[in-house]
Amino acid sequence: MARNDLTGTLFAERYRLERKLGSGGMADVWLAEDQELGRRVAVKILHERYASDEQFVERFRREATHAAGLSHPNIVSVFDRGVADGSYYIVMEYIEGRTLKELVVTRGPCPVPVAISYTRQILAALRYAHKNGIIHRDIKPHNVLVDREGRVKVADFGIARAGTSEMTEAGSIVGTAQYLSPEQARGAPVDESSDLYSTGIVLYELLTGTVPFTGETPVEIAMKHLSATPEPPSVRRSEIPRDLDLVVLRALAKEPADRYRSAGELDRDLELVARGEAVGSETETAATMVLAGAGAMDATAATRVAAPLPPATGGTYTGDERYRAYEAPVARRRSPWPWVLVALAAIALGVGGWFLYGNVQDQINDNKPLVVQQYTGILEVRAVDLIAGDGFESNVRRVPNGDQPAGIVFDQSPVEGTALARDGIVTILVSTGKKNVTVPDVVGSQVTDAVATLTRVGLVAKSVGVPSDKPAGTVTAQDPSARTSLVEGATVRINYSTGPKQVAVPPVVGLDYSAALQQLQAAGFAVARTDVESDQPAGVVVSQVPAGSSTATKGSKVTLSVSNGPQTTPVPDVTGLTTADARTTLTDAGFKVTVTNQETDDQTFDGIVISQDPPGNTQQDPNTVITLSVGVYVPTTSTPAATTTTP
């Protein structure tokens, strides 16, 4: 079934889809009824074409994971998530209302108090998300919903990241061009201040109906975020108070260090503006710097006098009547004269006690504890100014720190949020960078001991094995050398011996000894000779240890077995001897004997060796078998002469 035809279907076996609420580039959002809990919910379903795209699926999962972990009145709740019908979905709280973008488009700029109220609710959501380590990274009016009671809900954590992060969305800029922070536009790491910049853009649009930077392409808009100077909102809408101009401009500072440090700090200034009070000098200075930064406008534009802002709480706001549907019901007008008389009477009674009250109130304010803000992550000089501006004394301690650049505050006491008496002392720890350490001398020690020594002083050892005549494992060299001063965490190379160099042993079996000796010595080996009996010619190498083509330490000994040549013995001539004497003679000479009989008609040869094989007086190998032919007398028999008969 096509996704456009899902009306009335039971999705994921639980959610009855009623109607499509909206459609984006990544997903469709449907109004549905949860069949198990009987409540209306919004079901966000990833488009089918992205179900197999790992990047989109990961973003979708990330939205569910981050939003599900945040439970706050100003954040859209996530109830369920999963996979159904081949795609991913998220089940969210259904907000009956409109996005801020829809309100601005259909109704124009907000009344100033309403804009402040909406923005402060966005900041409440961001303050909670930031406290939990989540940076939204895509704050824009399209992602902010307003219900019929005027309650704001922040949605769409699809490109949120846990903690400070790099721009890793497939190498592209993530976020919407009109609301990008400068660091997002240039692909730099983002942090909490990036969300505050985007919130400043939203506040600007709520107040004026337009964003500060526009262009024909996203790249053109991004470049304006990096370099263009924003107009103060009051240039586009004259009734905007001067102090609200200052708040917006500080939020739009190009450098994160010049903006508000936290959502709570920005909210505090908006609260002052809502009460009709002036913001601090720090905000005024930052706003003036924003306007003066690019020289595009007169810096005094931010200091024009404007009418004070009426309180943001209670009563019906003045301004555009089209926003009244999202406020409290409008009371019917009554005659003002009874209230005028009451007011005059109250003034008459109050004048006498005013100065007494004022003196008492001043004393209370002077002794009222102040809240310590966050001073870490910024330069020392800026932290000292902030501490003084917040009513405290600063105590600076400078200590080495391997994780922070020199001059950056990395810790404070008391911590942010602590109540401290006016003029109380706030101690800040300022990094002097990594400390310097002296390189120890490790040459001659064992490599394991050398690594341990370098590690103890805060250096990193890089061990490299090299052949050497030193015992294996002995450190033979180091770089840098001993007593050199290095920054903690630097790398020191140490060379350690792997023993003498191993080289290939030439194969010399079968060569003449002199040729074999020459080859082995040329390869760097010593040679030992052992002469052995062999059937090989004299002087030929018949074996070697180590074997040819194996490896051995250069300079070690190779033993060669060299043939003495074949060994022979003269065979005694035993012909004419008796069998017994012949056997004894041959056996004593080292030969073996075998006897064969040979018939003879000469009785003198009976029992006498008639012949031998091999013959006597020849050279033969020892243990050669000598065959003796011994005579055996056989008498002859007389035969009568044949007679011939002639017929």
Side-chain angles (χ1 to χ4, degrees):
M1 180 180 296
R3 282 284 160 83
N4 291 330
D5 300 327
L6 293 177
T7 302
T9 63
L10 186 65
F11 184 78
E13 301 180 352
R14 177 172 176 176
Y15 305 104
R16 181 73 64 184
L17 303 183
E18 297 181 3
R19 60 184 172 87
K20 185 183 291 187
L21 296 173
S23 181
M26 187 172 106
D28 295 329
V29 181
W30 289 79
L31 174 63
E33 183 177 355
D34 186 340
Q35 300 298 294
E36 293 184 12
L37 300 179
R39 64 183 176 186
R40 303 182 89 185
V41 295
V43 181
K44 189 173 185 178
I45 305 173
L46 183 67
H47 288 164
E48 288 179 326
R49 63 181 178 274
Y50 298 133
S52 60
D53 189 314
E54 293 183 1
Q55 179 179 344
F56 280 89
V57 171
E58 175 57 26
R59 174 174 172 178
F60 207 69
R61 289 173 175 166
R62 195 160 60 233
E63 177 180 358
T65 300
H66 288 149
L70 299 174
S71 177
H72 189 272
N74 296 113
I75 297 177
V76 174
S77 300
V78 170
F79 301 140
D80 190 16
R81 56 181 172 171
V83 181
D85 297 339
S87 193
Y88 294 82
Y89 70 91
I90 303 172
V91 180
M92 304 174 292
E93 173 186 8
Y94 171 60
I95 308 299
E96 188 172 358
R98 296 186 180 182
T99 67
L100 285 185
K101 190 65 177 180
E102 290 173 325
L103 290 176
V104 172
V105 170
T106 59
R107 301 182 179 186
C110 283
V112 171
V114 176
I116 293 176
S117 173
Y118 288 171
T119 305
R120 293 188 66 192
Q121 292 184 66
I122 296 172
L123 291 171
L126 289 178
R127 189 171 188 174
Y128 181 80
H130 293 170
K131 183 179 179 181
N132 286 273
I134 301 298
I135 300 168
H136 191 286
R137 304 203 313 165
D138 195 21
I139 292 296
K140 56 185 177 182
H142 315 65
N143 291 336
V144 180
L145 300 167
V146 184
D147 65 16
R148 297 195 176 278
E149 285 71 44
R151 185 185 301 109
V152 166
K153 296 269 189 174
V154 177
D156 197 354
F157 281 75
I159 59 174
R161 286 283 190 276
T164 303
S165 65
E166 303 287 343
M167 309 304 291
T168 56
E169 202 80 0
S172 63
I173 296 175
V174 292
T176 304
Q178 289 86 347
Y179 308 91
L180 282 178
S181 65
E183 54 269 26
Q184 285 175 288
R186 59 175 173 260
V190 300
D191 57 16
E192 297 175 4
S193 67
S194 303
D195 282 350
L196 302 184
Y197 182 97
S198 300
T199 303
I201 300 287
V202 172
L203 176 56
Y204 194 108
E205 186 173 6
L206 291 175
L207 293 170
T208 66
T210 61
V211 292
F213 305 120
T214 59
E216 295 183 359
T217 66
V219 173
E220 181 183 354
I221 298 172
M223 293 304 297
K224 289 184 178 180
H225 281 293
L226 291 171
S227 59
T229 301
E231 286 186 332
S234 60
V235 172
R236 304 186 183 187
R237 184 178 174 190
S238 60
E239 68 263 34
I240 294 174
R242 165 187 176 274
D243 289 283
L244 188 52
D245 262 349
L246 301 178
V247 171
V248 174
L249 291 172
R250 181 180 176 187
L252 299 185
K254 304 299 183 187
E255 294 299 325
D258 296 330
R259 298 177 206 144
Y260 290 96
R261 289 161 292 174
S262 66
E265 189 177 15
L266 174 53
D267 180 71
R268 182 175 61 182
D269 267 3
L270 286 177
E271 182 181 12
L272 291 174
V273 175
R275 294 204 303 259
E277 298 179 19
V279 297
S281 60
E282 180 183 355
T283 297
E284 183 169 0
T285 300
T288 303
M289 290 174 60
V290 169
L291 289 178
M297 294 185 61
D298 184 358
T300 60
T303 61
R304 294 175 302 168
V305 177
L309 190 66
T313 56
T316 301
Y317 300 135
T318 59
D320 195 331
E321 294 295 320
R322 288 173 294 177
Y323 277 85
R324 290 185 181 276
Y326 288 86
E327 301 165 7
V330 181
R332 290 183 298 174
R333 296 182 60 85
R334 297 180 180 179
S335 174
W337 289 109
W339 296 106
V340 172
L341 294 176
V342 171
L344 291 174
I347 292 172
L349 292 173
V351 167
W354 170 255
F355 292 103
L356 176 62
Y357 168 79
N359 291 334
V360 173
Q361 191 64 35
D362 288 343
Q363 295 180 22
I364 292 174
N365 290 335
D366 288 342
N367 293 297
K368 182 179 180 180
L370 303 175
V371 177
V372 175
Q373 301 301 315
Q374 178 182 343
Y375 308 112
T376 58
I378 58 178
L379 289 171
E380 172 191 340
V381 62
R382 181 167 173 77
V384 170
D385 289 343
L386 292 175
I387 292 171
D390 290 341
F392 305 118
E393 297 285 340
S394 58
N395 174 34
V396 179
R397 292 178 53 199
R398 299 177 183 87
V399 294
N401 186 293
D403 299 325
Q404 292 292 337
I408 297 296
V409 178
F410 65 87
D411 200 2
Q412 70 179 68
S413 178
V415 297
E416 177 188 11
T418 303
L420 184 65
R422 185 180 298 275
D423 297 326
I425 296 177
V426 175
T427 299
I428 56 175
L429 301 186
V430 180
S431 171
T432 59
K434 295 181 179 181
K435 66 180 180 180
N436 288 337
V437 296
T438 301
V439 179
D441 186 358
V442 295
V443 174
S445 60
Q446 284 293 302
V447 62
T448 52
D449 296 335
V451 171
T453 299
L454 292 170
T455 302
R456 276 196 301 270
V457 299
L459 298 173
V460 177
K462 180 181 179 181
S463 305
V464 179
V466 294
S468 168
D469 57 358
K470 300 291 185 182
T474 302
V475 176
T476 58
Q478 68 179 80
D479 182 37
S481 59
R483 291 174 292 280
T484 302
S485 181
L486 292 180
V487 175
E488 185 180 28
T491 299
V492 176
R493 170 174 171 148
I494 54 175
N495 293 350
Y496 66 91
S497 173
T498 57
K501 185 177 181 180
Q502 298 282 308
V503 295
V505 179
V508 295
V509 173
L511 298 181
D512 183 74
Y513 173 74
S514 60
L517 177 65
Q518 184 178 4
Q519 285 194 26
L520 290 170
Q521 289 179 339
F525 294 101
V527 178
R529 173 173 175 163
T530 301
D531 291 330
V532 296
E533 295 182 358
S534 170
D535 58 358
Q536 295 294 319
V540 173
V541 177
V542 296
S543 66
Q544 68 180 90
V545 178
S549 300
S550 63
T551 57
T553 302
K554 190 172 184 179
S556 61
K557 183 188 296 183
V558 177
T559 300
L560 301 181
S561 296
V562 182
S563 173
N564 282 331
Q567 299 296 314
T568 60
T569 302
V571 179
D573 186 358
V574 295
T575 57
L577 299 180
T578 64
T579 302
D581 291 341
R583 187 185 293 276
T584 299
T585 300
L586 291 172
T587 301
D588 290 344
F591 296 101
K592 296 179 180 179
V593 178
T594 183
V595 177
T596 62
N597 294 326
Q598 181 178 346
E599 292 182 354
T600 179
D601 58 358
D602 188 345
Q603 191 172 3
T604 61
F605 285 107
D606 186 28
I608 301 300
V609 176
I610 299 173
S611 64
Q612 65 183 74
D613 184 26
N617 299 319
T618 59
Q619 295 289 330
Q620 299 294 332
D621 290 336
N623 298 320
T624 299
V625 177
I626 307 298
T627 301
L628 302 179
S629 296
V630 178
V632 177
Y633 174 67
V634 178
T636 58
T637 302
S638 298
T639 304
T643 58
T644 302
T645 303
T646 302

mmCIF file of all heavy atoms in Angstrom, residues 552-576:
data_model
loop_
_atom_site.group_PDB
_atom_site.id
_atom_site.type_symbol
_atom_site.label_atom_id
_atom_site.label_comp_id
_atom_site.label_asym_id
_atom_site.label_seq_id
_atom_site.Cartn_x
_atom_site.Cartn_y
_atom_site.Cartn_z
ATOM 1 N N ALA A 552 71.949 -17.113 10.456
ATOM 2 C CA ALA A 552 72.754 -17.208 11.677
ATOM 3 C C ALA A 552 73.356 -15.845 11.950
ATOM 4 O O ALA A 552 73.384 -14.968 11.076
ATOM 5 C CB ALA A 552 73.846 -18.263 11.517
ATOM 6 N N THR A 553 73.797 -15.659 13.174
ATOM 7 C CA THR A 553 74.388 -14.384 13.568
ATOM 8 C C THR A 553 75.687 -14.149 12.817
ATOM 9 O O THR A 553 76.551 -15.040 12.741
ATOM 10 C CB THR A 553 74.656 -14.370 15.077
ATOM 11 O OG1 THR A 553 73.427 -14.610 15.763
ATOM 12 C CG2 THR A 553 75.229 -13.037 15.511
ATOM 13 N N LYS A 554 75.814 -12.962 12.278
ATOM 14 C CA LYS A 554 77.041 -12.631 11.572
ATOM 15 C C LYS A 554 78.227 -12.716 12.535
ATOM 16 O O LYS A 554 78.167 -12.199 13.652
ATOM 17 C CB LYS A 554 76.940 -11.223 10.986
ATOM 18 C CG LYS A 554 78.061 -10.883 10.025
ATOM 19 C CD LYS A 554 77.797 -9.550 9.346
ATOM 20 C CE LYS A 554 78.864 -9.236 8.317
ATOM 21 N NZ LYS A 554 78.607 -7.949 7.618
ATOM 22 N N GLY A 555 79.305 -13.400 12.089
ATOM 23 C CA GLY A 555 80.472 -13.599 12.945
ATOM 24 C C GLY A 555 80.481 -14.918 13.673
ATOM 25 O O GLY A 555 81.477 -15.281 14.308
ATOM 26 N N SER A 556 79.339 -15.638 13.609
ATOM 27 C CA SER A 556 79.302 -16.945 14.268
ATOM 28 C C SER A 556 80.055 -17.988 13.431
ATOM 29 O O SER A 556 80.489 -17.724 12.308
ATOM 30 C CB SER A 556 77.852 -17.379 14.485
ATOM 31 O OG SER A 556 77.177 -17.494 13.251
ATOM 32 N N LYS A 557 80.220 -19.216 13.969
ATOM 33 C CA LYS A 557 81.057 -20.257 13.358
ATOM 34 C C LYS A 557 80.207 -21.225 12.537
ATOM 35 O O LYS A 557 79.121 -21.629 12.962
ATOM 36 C CB LYS A 557 81.795 -21.027 14.441
ATOM 37 C CG LYS A 557 82.751 -22.107 13.911
ATOM 38 C CD LYS A 557 83.295 -22.942 15.062
ATOM 39 C CE LYS A 557 84.138 -22.104 16.000
ATOM 40 N NZ LYS A 557 84.745 -22.916 17.085
ATOM 41 N N VAL A 558 80.748 -21.579 11.367
ATOM 42 C CA VAL A 558 80.150 -22.621 10.530
ATOM 43 C C VAL A 558 81.143 -23.779 10.480
ATOM 44 O O VAL A 558 82.307 -23.601 10.105
ATOM 45 C CB VAL A 558 79.848 -22.117 9.107
ATOM 46 C CG1 VAL A 558 79.292 -23.254 8.249
ATOM 47 C CG2 VAL A 558 78.869 -20.944 9.149
ATOM 48 N N THR A 559 80.682 -24.982 10.860
ATOM 49 C CA THR A 559 81.544 -26.174 10.876
ATOM 50 C C THR A 559 81.343 -26.963 9.596
ATOM 51 O O THR A 559 80.198 -27.308 9.238
ATOM 52 C CB THR A 559 81.216 -27.056 12.092
ATOM 53 O OG1 THR A 559 81.430 -26.291 13.283
ATOM 54 C CG2 THR A 559 82.098 -28.289 12.118
ATOM 55 N N LEU A 560 82.496 -27.265 8.893
ATOM 56 C CA LEU A 560 82.459 -28.020 7.642
ATOM 57 C C LEU A 560 83.080 -29.402 7.858
ATOM 58 O O LEU A 560 84.134 -29.534 8.488
ATOM 59 C CB LEU A 560 83.246 -27.301 6.545
ATOM 60 C CG LEU A 560 82.791 -25.885 6.196
ATOM 61 C CD1 LEU A 560 83.660 -25.329 5.070
ATOM 62 C CD2 LEU A 560 81.327 -25.875 5.788
ATOM 63 N N SER A 561 82.405 -30.421 7.351
ATOM 64 C CA SER A 561 82.952 -31.787 7.329
ATOM 65 C C SER A 561 83.548 -32.024 5.945
ATOM 66 O O SER A 561 82.833 -31.936 4.935
ATOM 67 C CB SER A 561 81.861 -32.815 7.628
ATOM 68 O OG SER A 561 81.367 -32.634 8.949
ATOM 69 N N VAL A 562 84.890 -32.327 5.913
ATOM 70 C CA VAL A 562 85.627 -32.438 4.644
ATOM 71 C C VAL A 562 86.090 -33.886 4.455
ATOM 72 O O VAL A 562 86.625 -34.513 5.380
ATOM 73 C CB VAL A 562 86.830 -31.490 4.623
ATOM 74 C CG1 VAL A 562 87.556 -31.580 3.276
ATOM 75 C CG2 VAL A 562 86.379 -30.052 4.889
ATOM 76 N N SER A 563 85.874 -34.409 3.250
ATOM 77 C CA SER A 563 86.212 -35.806 2.948
ATOM 78 C C SER A 563 87.738 -35.997 2.898
ATOM 79 O O SER A 563 88.472 -35.181 2.342
ATOM 80 C CB SER A 563 85.590 -36.220 1.616
ATOM 81 O OG SER A 563 86.046 -37.502 1.241
ATOM 82 N N ASN A 564 88.189 -37.112 3.501
ATOM 83 C CA ASN A 564 89.588 -37.530 3.390
ATOM 84 C C ASN A 564 89.838 -38.324 2.101
ATOM 85 O O ASN A 564 90.966 -38.718 1.820
ATOM 86 C CB ASN A 564 89.988 -38.394 4.587
ATOM 87 C CG ASN A 564 90.253 -37.556 5.821
ATOM 88 O OD1 ASN A 564 90.654 -36.403 5.711
ATOM 89 N ND2 ASN A 564 90.004 -38.132 6.987
ATOM 90 N N GLY A 565 88.819 -38.606 1.340
ATOM 91 C CA GLY A 565 88.954 -39.442 0.140
ATOM 92 C C GLY A 565 88.684 -40.903 0.477
ATOM 93 O O GLY A 565 88.667 -41.305 1.645
ATOM 94 N N PRO A 566 88.475 -41.765 -0.555
ATOM 95 C CA PRO A 566 88.186 -43.196 -0.305
ATOM 96 C C PRO A 566 89.381 -43.874 0.388
ATOM 97 O O PRO A 566 90.540 -43.643 0.045
ATOM 98 C CB PRO A 566 87.971 -43.756 -1.713
ATOM 99 C CG PRO A 566 87.653 -42.568 -2.559
ATOM 100 C CD PRO A 566 88.403 -41.443 -1.980
ATOM 101 N N GLN A 567 89.206 -44.888 1.326
ATOM 102 C CA GLN A 567 90.247 -45.626 2.048
ATOM 103 C C GLN A 567 90.335 -47.063 1.487
ATOM 104 O O GLN A 567 89.314 -47.759 1.441
ATOM 105 C CB GLN A 567 89.909 -45.676 3.537
ATOM 106 C CG GLN A 567 89.833 -44.300 4.187
ATOM 107 C CD GLN A 567 91.170 -43.581 4.161
ATOM 108 O OE1 GLN A 567 92.208 -44.187 4.490
ATOM 109 N NE2 GLN A 567 91.153 -42.326 3.756
ATOM 110 N N THR A 568 91.601 -47.530 1.015
ATOM 111 C CA THR A 568 91.775 -48.890 0.465
ATOM 112 C C THR A 568 92.908 -49.623 1.197
ATOM 113 O O THR A 568 93.748 -48.988 1.842
ATOM 114 C CB THR A 568 92.107 -48.837 -1.030
ATOM 115 O OG1 THR A 568 93.328 -48.110 -1.216
ATOM 116 C CG2 THR A 568 90.977 -48.157 -1.821
ATOM 117 N N THR A 569 92.860 -50.963 1.068
ATOM 118 C CA THR A 569 93.883 -51.838 1.687
ATOM 119 C C THR A 569 94.346 -52.868 0.654
ATOM 120 O O THR A 569 93.510 -53.404 -0.084
ATOM 121 C CB THR A 569 93.289 -52.572 2.915
ATOM 122 O OG1 THR A 569 92.815 -51.592 3.836
ATOM 123 C CG2 THR A 569 94.334 -53.467 3.570
ATOM 124 N N PRO A 570 95.665 -53.178 0.561
ATOM 125 C CA PRO A 570 96.122 -54.202 -0.406
ATOM 126 C C PRO A 570 95.611 -55.578 -0.014
ATOM 127 O O PRO A 570 95.619 -55.948 1.166
ATOM 128 C CB PRO A 570 97.640 -54.112 -0.324
ATOM 129 C CG PRO A 570 97.927 -53.472 0.983
ATOM 130 C CD PRO A 570 96.794 -52.566 1.287
ATOM 131 N N VAL A 571 95.112 -56.310 -0.978
ATOM 132 C CA VAL A 571 94.583 -57.667 -0.742
ATOM 133 C C VAL A 571 95.767 -58.663 -0.756
ATOM 134 O O VAL A 571 96.510 -58.735 -1.749
ATOM 135 C CB VAL A 571 93.541 -58.045 -1.812
ATOM 136 C CG1 VAL A 571 93.015 -59.460 -1.559
ATOM 137 C CG2 VAL A 571 92.404 -57.021 -1.838
ATOM 138 N N PRO A 572 95.975 -59.429 0.345
ATOM 139 C CA PRO A 572 97.067 -60.428 0.344
ATOM 140 C C PRO A 572 96.820 -61.501 -0.727
ATOM 141 O O PRO A 572 95.659 -61.871 -0.981
ATOM 142 C CB PRO A 572 97.000 -61.025 1.747
ATOM 143 C CG PRO A 572 96.273 -59.998 2.581
ATOM 144 C CD PRO A 572 95.295 -59.367 1.644
ATOM 145 N N ASP A 573 97.875 -62.000 -1.331
ATOM 146 C CA ASP A 573 97.769 -63.106 -2.302
ATOM 147 C C ASP A 573 97.844 -64.418 -1.524
ATOM 148 O O ASP A 573 98.858 -64.754 -0.924
ATOM 149 C CB ASP A 573 98.913 -63.026 -3.304
ATOM 150 C CG ASP A 573 98.768 -64.064 -4.432
ATOM 151 O OD1 ASP A 573 97.798 -64.855 -4.380
ATOM 152 O OD2 ASP A 573 99.587 -64.032 -5.341
ATOM 153 N N VAL A 574 96.716 -65.132 -1.484
ATOM 154 C CA VAL A 574 96.646 -66.366 -0.685
ATOM 155 C C VAL A 574 96.551 -67.605 -1.570
ATOM 156 O O VAL A 574 96.229 -68.701 -1.067
ATOM 157 C CB VAL A 574 95.467 -66.306 0.287
ATOM 158 C CG1 VAL A 574 95.668 -65.207 1.323
ATOM 159 C CG2 VAL A 574 94.146 -66.099 -0.467
ATOM 160 N N THR A 575 96.778 -67.488 -2.837
ATOM 161 C CA THR A 575 96.746 -68.698 -3.685
ATOM 162 C C THR A 575 97.884 -69.615 -3.279
ATOM 163 O O THR A 575 98.988 -69.167 -2.951
ATOM 164 C CB THR A 575 96.895 -68.309 -5.168
ATOM 165 O OG1 THR A 575 98.097 -67.566 -5.357
ATOM 166 C CG2 THR A 575 95.699 -67.487 -5.653
ATOM 167 N N GLY A 576 97.592 -70.905 -3.285
ATOM 168 C CA GLY A 576 98.572 -71.925 -2.895
ATOM 169 C C GLY A 576 98.531 -72.227 -1.413
ATOM 170 O O GLY A 576 99.211 -73.139 -0.940
#
